[in-house]
Amino acid sequence: MLEIKNLHASVDDKEILKGINLKVNAGEVHAIMGPNGSGKSTLAEVIAGQEEFEVGEGSILLEGEDLEELSPEERAHKGVFLSFQYPVEIPGVSVTNFMKTAINESRKAQGLEDMPANEMLKKIREKSEMLEIDRKFLSRSLNEGFSGGEKKRNEIFQMAMMEPKLAILDETDSGLDIDALRIVANGVNKLRSKDNAIIVITHYQRLLEYIVPDYVHVLHDGKIVKSGTKELALELEEKGYDWLKEEAAV
Amino acid sequence: MAYTEEELKKELETKEYEYGFYTDIESDTLPKGLNEEIVIAISKKKEEPDWMTEWRLEAFRAWKEMEEPEWANVTYKKPDFQDISYYSAPNKKPKYNSLDEVDPELLDTFKKLGISVDEQKKLAGVAVDIVMDSVSVATTFKKTLAEKGIIFCSISEAIQEHPELVKKYLGTVVPKKDNFYAALNSAVFSDGSFCYIPKGVRCPMELSTYFRINQAGTGQFERTLVIAEEGSYVSYLEGCTAPMRDENQLHAAVVELIALDNAEIKYSTVQNWFPGNKEGKGGVYNFVTKRGLCEKHAKISWTQVETGSAVTWKYPSCILKGDYSIGEFYSIAVTNNFQQADTGTKMIHLGKNTKSTIISKGISAGQSQNSYRGLVQVNSRAENARNFSQCDSLLMGNRCGAHTFPYIEAKNKSAQIEHEATTSKIGEDQIFYCNQRGIDTEKAIALIVNGFSKEVLNKLPMEFAVEAQKLLEISLEGSVG
C-alpha cells in the first residue's frame, strides 16, 4: 500500500525528517510513537502533501505510484486521508455540506457523477450512527465551537465517509476523554479492512489498547529508531523514550 | 500543486470581467454637458408635465451650489460633470406585446448575461422591467399585476399615467437637496422603475429590474420609487451588470421606498458592474442614495450583494418613523484588485419600540479597500429602540484593507444597541484542510466565502441567491483551469 524510502524533509532549511523508511501493507495498522518534536506530525503532513515542507531525498509510493508531483487534493483523490491533530474551523459551512463537497470532488476526479442525494443521506446516517454522532451535529458549522472530542470524532466521521485506502490518524487520542476515546477507537476498528491501511500517530500507549497495531515504530530525531510489534508500545509505556534515545545515540 | 499565499493572491487577480461586451443598439443621445437647457431637454424628450420640469430645475439649481462629498474612505479622480451625456435612449422604442418583438440584439445581450427573458418568464413568476440605457423597453407580467391593482412600470410612464402618486411621494424620502448625487439625479434622472402596491395586497411575484449601463460615456441616473400601501407586501429585486469600457462611468441612482402602516418591503440588489481591470483602470463609479421610510408596524429589509464597480458609495437606509417599525440591512460587499467600497447603512429610530438589524459581510482581496460605514441614531422620543449590528470582514492576502466605521448616536436612555465586529483571514491551514479532503483551492475559497456570507445569502430570494453565489465565485476565484 504505502512505501516510504529514505525520506528527507525540511522546513526553512531545517531538516526534520532524516531518512525515513517505512512499508505498510494493505490490512495493516502501524503505530508511530515518539517524543515531542521527533517529526511524527511532519511525516503525516508530508505524506498528505503539505507544501510547507521541502522534500529533499527519498520517495513516497502509494500502491507503487510516486506521490511527489501530486497536489494534496490529488493525493486525497487517490485515497490518502489525514485525520488532523488540530482540525480547522470553517464558519458557515456545515459538516454535511463539507462532506458532500469533498465526496463529490473526489468522484469528479474519478470521472463519476455526483453522488445521488438519497445515497449520500443513507451514508451519512450509517456512518453517524456507527460513531454515535447526533444528527444535529452534522448541520453545525465545521469544527466551529466544537469541543476537542467533537473535533476528533468529526475527523473519524469524515474518514468513514471518505473510505480512504490509507488513513493517517495524527494524535487522534489527544483531547478525548475515556468514553470518547472508546467510541472513536471502535469506529476506527470498524473501518479496518483487508483493503486499507491505517497509520496511528500517538504519544501514549492508551489508544493502542483500543486500536491494536500490527507494528509499532519509534520515531526519534527524524528517523525510525526502533520497530516492533505491539509489545514495544508497552515497553515504551514502562520505560519511556530515554533508553531509545541513548541507544540511537550510540 | 497546493497554493502558497502568494500564488493565491495572483490567482485572485487574474479574474477577468466576464460580461465585457458592447451592444450595438442605435441610440438617441444628448450632447455632453449639464445646464438648465439640458435639464429642460431631458424633461421635454420624456414629454413630462410642467411640474416635473420645474422639480428637476429646482434640483439642478440646488446641485450647482453643492460640493461633491469627500468624507468617504475612497480616492478617485472626480468625474467632469460637463463631459458626460445625460440622456441616451435606445432609438427603436415601440411598445412590445411579446418578447418576439424585442430587438434581437437586446435579447442577445441578455443571453450573454445568462438571463434570458424567456427563462425569466418561466421562472417562478418573475416580472421583469428592463432598464437598458435609461428607457424601459420591455415589461412583462403587467397584466397579472394589474388584476391586483399593482402598478409596476417605468418611472417615466408613472409620471404620465399616475402623476398624483408620483407628485405625492417623489422626493419625500430622499429630498432633492439631500446630497450632491441625489440632487444631480433629481435634475437629470432618465428613467427607472415605479411600483405601487395597493392597500392589503400581497404582491404575488418577485418584482425584478435589470439595470445596465450601455452607451459609451453616458452616466446613468435611475430613479426608483416603491410605494407599499397599508398592510401590503412586496419583494423587489434589482440586478445589475455593465459592459466593459475604458473610461469611468458614473452611476448615481436614487431609490425611495415608502412602507405605510403594517406594510413590508423587501428590496434585494445584486450589483455586478465593471470593477475596472486588474491595474485599476476603468470601472463604474457607483454613488447611490437608497432610503426607505417605515410608518407604524412597517418593515423594510435591504439585502445587497455588491461585487462590482471601481468605487462604491452606498448606504441603503431606513427611517423608522412609525412606532414598532423594523429596519433591516443585510450586505455582502466584495472588493478585489483596486476596487474601493464604502458602504453600510443608516438606521434612524424616530418611533417608539423600533427595531433594526444590521449584518454586514465585507470580503477584500487584491489591493482593494472595503469599508463599512454605518449610523445608528436613536431619537429622544424613540423609547425602547433596539439595534443589533454585526460587521464581519474577511481578508485574502496582505495588501487589501477592511475598515469599520460604526457611528452610534443615542439620545434616549432606553435604547439598546449592540455592535459586534470580527476580522478574519482565509488561512493556508483552512485551504490545506480542504485540499486534504480532495477539494481544490478554487472550490475551497468558494466554500469558505459562501460559508462566511451565508447569513446574508439566506436572506435573498431563491433564484437571486444562486446568481449571487455565482457572482461571488466569479469575483474571487480567478479562472483556474
Side-chain angles (χ1 to χ4, degrees), chain A residues 50-51 69 71-73 76-77 80-82 84 88-93 98 102 105 143 155 158 162, chain B residues 1-4 7 428-430 432-441 443 447-448 450-452 454:
Chain A
Q50 169 64 281
E51 301 234 329
E69 293 300 319
S71 65
E73 61 269 26
H77 299 156
V80 175
F81 179 91
L82 173 60
F84 283 75
V88 299
E89 297 180 0
I90 305 186
V93 177
F98 185 67
E105 286 297 299
N143 293 321
E155 292 291 291
Q158 294 184 35
M162 307 283 295
Chain B
M1 306 308 274
Y3 289 73
T4 64
E7 283 165 328
E428 283 175 54
D429 54 345
Q430 283 176 315
F432 179 65
Y433 189 83
C434 293
N435 288 162
Q436 209 298 309
R437 297 300 185 251
I439 301 166
D440 66 26
T441 301
K443 192 96 186 174
L447 200 66
I448 294 165
N450 271 323
F452 174 77
K454 199 170 157 193

Side-chain angles (χ1 to χ4, degrees), chain B residues 253-290:
Chain B
V254 171
V255 176
E256 293 178 280
L257 309 183
I258 293 134
L260 297 175
D261 292 358
N262 298 301
E264 180 177 351
I265 302 174
K266 278 177 80 161
Y267 193 101
S268 314
T269 306
V270 170
Q271 187 267 114
N272 177 32
W273 283 326
F274 182 47
N277 65 13
K278 62 181 176 186
E279 280 86 42
K281 194 167 179 286
V284 171
Y285 289 176
N286 191 18
F287 305 124
V288 183
T289 307
K290 290 184 166 181

Side-chain angles (χ1 to χ4, degrees), chain A residues 178-230:
Chain A
I178 196 75
D179 292 328
L181 182 72
R182 198 174 31 78
I183 293 166
V184 163
N186 273 341
V188 173
N189 286 331
K190 283 181 195 162
L191 296 171
R192 281 174 89 155
S193 86
K194 61 177 174 37
D195 301 317
N196 63 25
I198 299 172
I199 296 174
V200 180
I201 292 172
T202 182
H203 270 296
Y204 305 108
Q205 199 269 336
R206 190 179 69 155
L207 178 67
L208 304 180
E209 284 173 19
Y210 297 94
I211 305 173
V212 182
D214 300 299
Y215 299 97
V216 175
H217 309 278
V218 180
L219 198 60
H220 170 61
D221 193 24
K223 281 182 188 162
I224 290 177
V225 293
K226 193 156 186 91
S227 294
T229 53
K230 62 176 193 264

Side-chain angles (χ1 to χ4, degrees), chain B residues 200-217:
Chain B
V201 170
R202 211 183 147 81
C203 184
M205 57 185 80
E206 316 268 0
L207 296 182
S208 166
T209 307
Y210 283 97
F211 290 104
R212 220 174 133 68
I213 302 175
N214 205 320
Q215 191 68 18

Side-chain angles (χ1 to χ4, degrees), chain B residues 360-363 391-395 402-404 422-425 452:
Chain B
S360 165
K361 305 273 179 178
I363 300 160
C391 302
D392 297 326
S393 304
L394 187 66
L395 298 169
H403 315 269
T404 307
T422 65
T423 302
S424 52
K425 208 172 144 182
F452 174 77

Side-chain angles (χ1 to χ4, degrees), chain B residues 201-384:
Chain B
V201 170
R202 211 183 147 81
C203 184
M205 57 185 80
E206 316 268 0
L207 296 182
S208 166
T209 307
Y210 283 97
F211 290 104
R212 220 174 133 68
I213 302 175
N214 205 320
Q215 191 68 18
T218 61
Q220 195 169 9
F221 305 91
E222 300 95 355
R223 187 92 196 183
T224 300
L225 180 58
V226 178
I227 303 153
E229 282 278 9
E230 287 176 26
S232 67
Y233 166 85
V234 64
S235 168
Y236 189 94
L237 318 179
E238 176 199 79
C240 310
T241 53
M244 195 181 265
R245 198 57 44 75
D246 269 336
E247 69 228 82
N248 291 299
Q249 288 178 302
L250 177 65
H251 182 91
V254 171
V255 176
E256 293 178 280
L257 309 183
I258 293 134
L260 297 175
D261 292 358
N262 298 301
E264 180 177 351
I265 302 174
K266 278 177 80 161
Y267 193 101
S268 314
T269 306
V270 170
Q271 187 267 114
N272 177 32
W273 283 326
F274 182 47
N277 65 13
K278 62 181 176 186
E279 280 86 42
K281 194 167 179 286
V284 171
Y285 289 176
N286 191 18
F287 305 124
V288 183
T289 307
K290 290 184 166 181
R291 196 173 301 152
L293 178 77
C294 287
E295 296 287 355
K296 279 181 201 140
H297 292 277
K299 179 176 172 183
I300 288 178
S301 304
W302 297 100
T303 306
Q304 60 173 25
V305 178
E306 303 271 323
T307 67
S309 295
V311 181
T312 301
W313 182 99
K314 182 181 172 189
Y315 316 90
S317 306
C318 295
I319 301 170
L320 303 171
K321 182 178 162 218
D323 295 349
Y324 295 95
S325 59
I326 298 172
E328 294 176 339
F329 174 74
Y330 302 102
S331 169
I332 301 170
V334 180
T335 54
N336 197 355
N337 298 321
F338 289 88
Q339 278 177 276
Q340 305 174 71
D342 193 301
T343 183
T345 185
K346 284 191 248 178
M347 293 292 175
I348 314 293
H349 292 256
L350 301 176
K352 295 184 177 67
N353 300 299
T354 46
K355 220 166 92 179
S356 63
T357 305
I358 299 170
I359 310 280
S360 165
K361 305 273 179 178
I363 300 160
S364 329
Q367 300 183 47
S368 66
Q369 296 295 327
N370 202 331
S371 304
Y372 167 81
R373 186 183 302 276
L375 169 67
V376 176
Q377 193 181 65
V378 177
N379 193 273
S380 58
R381 279 167 302 169
E383 295 288 331
N384 299 315

Side-chain angles (χ1 to χ4, degrees), chain B residues 142-154:
Chain B
K142 221 167 186 175
K143 252 181 95 185
T144 328
L145 295 173
E147 280 163 14
K148 296 229 170 209
I150 295 168
I151 305 165
F152 180 44
C153 62
S154 70

